Amino acid sequence: MTDNKLINLVNITKSFGDNIVLDDLNLYIRENEFVTLLGPSGCGKTTTLRIIGGFENPDKGQVIFEGKDITKTAPNERQVNTVFQKYALFNHLTVAENIAFGLKIKKKSKEYIKDKIKYALKLVNLDGFENRMPDSLSGGQQQRIAIARAIVNEPKVLLLDEPLGALDLKLRQDMQYELIRLKNELGITFVYVTHDQEEALTMSDTIVVMNQGYIQQIGTPEDIYNEPQNAFVADFIGESNIIPSIMVEDRLVNILGANFACVDAGFGHNKPVDVVIRPEDIDLVKPEEGIIKGMVTSLLFKGVHYEMEVQAHGYDWLVHSTDLVPVGSEVGIRVDPFNIQIMNKPESEDEEAVELEI
Amino acid sequence: MKIRNALNVKTPKPPSQKNEGSSLGIRNVKWLSFPYILWMVGFIIIPLIVILYYGLTTDDKSFTLDNIGAILHPINLKALRIALEQSLISTLICLLLAYPLAMILSKSKMKSNSFIVMIIILPMWMNFLLRTIAWQNLLERTGIINIVLKFFGLPILNIINTPKAIILGMVYNFLPFMVLPIYNVLIKIDKDIINAARDLGANSVQTFLKIILPLSLPGVVSGITMVFVPSLTTFVISNILGGSKIVLIGNVIEQQFRIGNWHIGSGLSLVLMIFILISMAVLSKYDKESEGSGLW
């Protein structure tokens, strides 16, 4: 990854009818970066990708590619290729013809095309599939053909629109490794759209969390996970306890009536804030050693860890621990200062935590 | 919200469940096809056998191929040739008119799409015979079109009782049968397939020639069949719009039945059927998936 800004989206606004999908979005993507646009459906991530690909025109704003304005450039004249959500393979053509499509348009020589097909199929681990028809392949294979078809054109950017969405869990995990490998072998920029936070955390150099047409946070997976900037991000990425609290002074926060040491400063005195504590960051100790006391109200075995709920000071704390604490036990709760993340209260609807619809 | 969601459509329906449902359904309602089978045997299979019988026998019930050989009679041969010519031309005109129309319809995002489709089908709500007679009145030497033309001092149209009038009648009557299957196939082409072609560098002409056209072939084939077959066999349109001057093979067959010569009529019908079967066999090569015929 270099510091060269390859793609720059400037003040992009897009609406469909009365519905504003993107509102004054600004985002740059660096050369050789794996960027993931992450968010719930309807957050504008796919629209952003389609604007980069040229399939949608923004109402306002510019798309800058290598310093040139390509806002009005047709998709076939952009140096990007797309892997579509439902593969969008040409079912009337063989696998080889699918892969050769872009190269034939560019009038490459027959030998060149043949070599490229071979190379691409090898790259996606589908040697010998040249003469198969796309609809005779499994979902995972079709997806890999779609990737092969895009990368033979040697794009500077590969756009991927939820490419693993239709695959089952095991295949999805395998494909994540494949994509990371491909990215490293090809050395090109990937812009990846997903609603799956795990995919985003696993593969990305940079994650762009979006909601309701606004970018909520841009950062490395570690940043996004450990230091969410608002309740939406905290809630959307992983599980978390989001507790309304009072910032007493710098490095001291009052959570549910008890004072906890923390590492954040600059929020002012006695200011209402939201506190994010990841369930795995909560230490359950003997009642007298805890900062606050509570009682375990539920216990679930999750494989890697136990998931517990601890009722303390009127809040159900979600706790992940490898140690079993039986239901009904009195426990103390401790949290290390650097595991407490302080956030300002949401200022707009899109920054709020999402209510789970069950 | 709707549109935003539409961009992220994810509806992986469990296919197993769906299949179970339908196979279960089919098993339970199989007997419902019984009335239709009965109908088919009574009004399609048996008449076909009767035609086959009459076509291959003489008055004294002995076997003969003369009825089929009757096609070689110069008058009949000429009627067949004209019928083939006329139906091919009208099929071609229908195709040239219908494809762009279907394309525009399938692309338009208007909510009134079903309304436009309805307008195309609307003429079919009126009796076929009435519509053709209406055209006869329009085209007549003293018909409405010529009255209007005369009023503006323009040369009058002289196409009634010519092959042109027959082709006009065929195109008018059978155009919807070409539009609908093509439209039906075109709307089923995923927008992202077209986007993918554009993405891979194809301009709009290349996208049309390499992707849209091949993918819409089943609809085209289906449309051609739906127009060519009735055009080839029609005798009503040629009777009404061609006067008695232009005799198509359909007219010959009709006349034979009218004068009571069921044997020759059946024999010629068989020849026509063979022509249709051959053309369908040729077309079906392009129609492996038989898509687009779903409408019928």
Side-chain angles (χ1 to χ4, degrees):
Chain A
M1 188 164 72
T2 65
D3 280 338
N4 260 344
K5 288 179 191 172
L6 187 65
I7 300 172
N8 204 349
L9 302 177
V10 189
N11 305 115
I12 298 282
T13 301
K14 175 77 187 172
S15 44
F16 295 111
D18 295 336
N19 182 23
I20 297 166
V21 183
L22 295 174
D23 196 355
D24 201 25
L25 177 125
N26 284 284
L27 174 69
Y28 64 82
I29 293 159
R30 283 169 294 202
E31 216 167 81
N32 204 2
E33 191 178 16
F34 195 129
V35 182
T36 300
L37 307 178
L38 174 68
S41 62
C43 74
K45 56 189 191 297
T46 299
T47 307
T48 308
L49 194 82
R50 295 174 85 89
I51 284 173
I52 300 174
F55 311 119
E56 301 282 357
N57 285 321
D59 301 335
K60 281 188 212 128
Q62 289 171 300
V63 184
I64 311 288
F65 186 83
E66 290 187 313
K68 271 176 243 146
D69 188 339
I70 59 160
T71 318
K72 299 264 186 281
T73 309
N76 51 321
E77 281 156 21
R78 298 189 183 202
Q79 285 172 306
V80 298
N81 283 114
T82 310
V83 176
F84 291 89
Q85 193 172 12
K86 280 176 280 165
Y87 325 136
L89 293 175
F90 308 132
N91 278 332
H92 62 296
L93 302 176
T94 64
V95 166
E97 286 167 335
N98 264 279
I99 297 173
F101 189 85
L103 301 173
K104 276 186 189 158
I105 299 264
K106 291 190 195 80
K107 303 221 159 47
K108 301 282 185 192
S109 73
K110 270 193 180 153
E111 293 79 55
Y112 179 85
I113 293 177
K114 213 175 156 194
D115 287 350
K116 271 284 179 186
I117 292 171
K118 212 159 186 193
Y119 159 79
L121 283 176
K122 206 179 179 98
L123 205 61
V124 296
N125 289 330
L126 287 173
D127 306 75
F129 276 66
E130 279 89 346
N131 296 320
R132 298 278 292 270
M133 294 309 281
D135 50 12
S136 73
L137 306 179
S138 72
Q141 289 168 335
Q142 288 191 40
Q143 189 55 273
R144 281 185 278 168
I145 297 301
I147 294 170
R149 182 179 69 176
I151 60 178
V152 288
N153 300 288
E154 298 175 351
K156 295 218 164 127
V157 183
L158 189 64
L159 307 175
L160 301 109
D161 184 7
E162 306 219 19
L164 311 184
L167 307 181
D168 61 44
L169 183 67
K170 182 76 183 66
L171 202 56
R172 209 153 63 211
Q173 285 168 343
D174 291 347
M175 283 298 291
Q176 289 179 20
Y177 288 110
E178 293 266 309
L179 283 173
I180 297 170
R181 181 181 62 82
L182 268 175
K183 159 83 178 53
N184 293 335
E185 279 184 33
L186 294 166
I188 58 172
T189 308
F190 274 40
V191 184
Y192 190 97
V193 161
T194 184
H195 64 279
D196 185 321
Q197 44 114 353
E198 194 198 308
E199 266 175 39
L201 292 172
T202 313
M203 297 190 288
S204 321
D205 296 320
T206 306
I207 296 177
V208 179
V209 185
M210 296 178 70
N211 192 32
Q212 298 187 7
Y214 296 97
I215 292 176
Q216 302 299 323
Q217 188 172 354
I218 302 177
T220 63
E222 289 86 350
D223 285 345
I224 301 273
Y225 189 84
N226 292 328
E227 285 162 39
Q229 271 165 16
N230 61 43
F232 174 79
V233 178
D235 189 56
F236 194 74
I237 314 282
E239 288 179 281
S240 52
N241 296 287
I242 302 173
I243 311 165
S245 307
I246 310 274
M247 197 70 185
V248 182
E249 54 182 61
D250 283 356
R251 284 172 280 281
L252 190 69
V253 62
N254 185 293
I255 303 172
L256 305 169
N259 282 338
F260 282 75
C262 66
V263 292
D264 292 274
F267 284 85
H269 289 276
N270 293 324
K271 190 169 179 258
V273 289
D274 277 331
V275 157
V276 178
I277 305 171
R278 295 291 181 188
E280 65 272 22
D281 292 335
I282 296 173
D283 299 321
L284 296 183
V285 293
K286 286 180 193 145
E288 58 276 14
E289 290 171 6
I291 299 170
I292 53 178
K293 279 180 221 168
M295 189 199 278
V296 179
T297 54
S298 88
L299 174 74
L300 289 170
F301 178 58
K302 289 277 185 173
V304 186
H305 56 75
Y306 294 98
E307 183 178 295
M308 284 166 276
E309 262 179 26
V310 177
Q311 167 87 37
H313 291 225
Y315 182 83
D316 286 321
W317 298 65
L318 185 69
V319 181
H320 290 173
S321 168
T322 47
D323 300 321
L324 185 151
V325 185
V327 174
S329 315
E330 285 264 328
V331 289
I333 287 178
R334 291 190 69 92
V335 186
D336 286 331
F338 52 83
N339 282 331
I340 296 175
Q341 165 73 12
I342 313 284
M343 308 180 302
N344 283 312
K345 285 274 183 194
E347 283 163 10
S348 58
E349 196 196 330
D350 58 282
E351 293 177 3
E352 286 169 16
V354 220
E355 289 290 318
L356 273 183
E357 286 167 34
I358 301 168
Chain B
M1 223 32 182
K2 244 184 193 168
I3 296 171
R4 267 203 261 178
N5 287 339
L7 288 172
N8 292 312
V9 231
K10 280 171 258 85
T11 45
K13 278 178 197 156
S16 57
Q17 211 180 331
K18 195 182 156 199
N19 288 345
E20 258 172 47
S22 61
S23 68
L24 204 76
I26 284 168
R27 215 179 302 147
N28 287 348
V29 298
K30 241 179 191 167
W31 59 269
L32 277 177
S33 64
F34 188 66
Y36 178 68
I37 290 173
L38 208 68
W39 174 274
M40 217 166 69
V41 170
F43 296 100
I44 298 173
I45 308 277
I46 292 176
L48 269 178
I49 292 169
V50 172
I51 286 181
L52 201 66
Y53 168 77
Y54 275 104
L56 295 173
T57 54
T58 56
D59 271 339
D60 50 20
K61 294 186 177 111
S62 61
F63 176 81
T64 175
L65 284 173
D66 287 353
N67 299 325
I68 288 171
I71 192 67
L72 296 173
H73 188 279
I75 290 175
N76 295 344
L77 215 51
K78 192 185 166 203
L80 180 65
R81 184 176 56 79
I82 294 174
L84 278 170
E85 268 171 21
Q86 302 254 306
S87 50
L88 280 173
I89 292 170
S90 37
T91 307
L92 191 70
I93 294 173
C94 278
L95 183 61
L96 292 177
L97 289 176
Y99 203 102
L101 181 61
M103 192 96 168
I104 292 163
L105 285 183
S106 70
K107 269 189 183 167
S108 77
K109 283 172 188 162
M110 273 183 296
K111 280 177 189 160
S112 55
N113 244 3
S114 53
F115 174 72
I116 297 169
V117 172
M118 204 189 80
I119 294 244
I120 292 170
I121 312 179
L122 199 63
M124 289 154 83
W125 291 10
M126 221 187 336
N127 183 279
F128 162 77
L129 221 58
L130 278 179
R131 280 181 283 144
T132 311
I133 291 169
W135 267 113
Q136 187 188 27
N137 284 318
L138 283 173
L139 293 173
E140 257 172 351
R141 235 153 271 217
T142 53
I144 296 168
I145 292 179
N146 280 339
I147 290 172
V148 173
L149 285 175
K150 238 182 209 164
F151 181 81
F152 288 104
L154 294 164
I156 60 158
L157 221 52
N158 226 341
I159 67 166
I160 190 75
N161 300 342
T162 67
K164 281 180 194 151
I166 298 177
I167 289 172
L168 178 74
M170 286 177 176
V171 170
Y172 174 76
N173 277 309
F174 303 132
L175 187 62
F177 297 104
M178 186 67 93
V179 177
L180 291 174
I182 296 175
Y183 170 77
N184 220 27
V185 175
L186 285 177
I187 50 164
K188 273 196 240 155
I189 297 176
D190 190 349
K191 192 89 183 32
D192 271 346
I193 301 255
I194 293 157
N195 281 340
R198 303 279 282 147
D199 184 75
L200 293 166
N203 59 34
S204 38
V205 176
Q206 287 165 324
T207 306
F208 175 75
L209 291 176
K210 288 174 188 255
I211 304 297
I212 299 173
L213 192 62
L215 284 176
S216 66
L217 264 191
V220 172
V221 165
S222 178
I224 290 176
T225 315
M226 300 298 299
V227 173
F228 180 70
V229 173
S231 303
L232 184 63
T233 53
T234 188
F235 59 88
V236 175
I237 294 175
S238 47
N239 261 353
I240 297 174
L241 296 176
S244 50
K245 287 175 186 162
I246 294 128
V247 181
L248 303 185
I249 188 71
N251 300 87
V252 174
I253 294 168
E254 189 221 359
Q255 275 159 19
Q256 292 299 332
F257 277 100
R258 238 171 228 223
I259 60 169
N261 196 341
W262 286 34
H263 298 283
I264 297 279
S266 299
L268 294 176
S269 292
L270 287 174
V271 175
L272 209 51
M273 265 186 242
I274 289 163
F275 264 90
I276 289 164
L277 283 176
I278 290 169
S279 64
M280 281 169 73
V282 171
L283 285 174
S284 71
K285 275 197 171 179
Y286 298 97
D287 190 22
K288 283 170 202 154
E289 286 157 50
S290 73
E291 254 190 90
S293 50
L295 205 65
W296 286 269

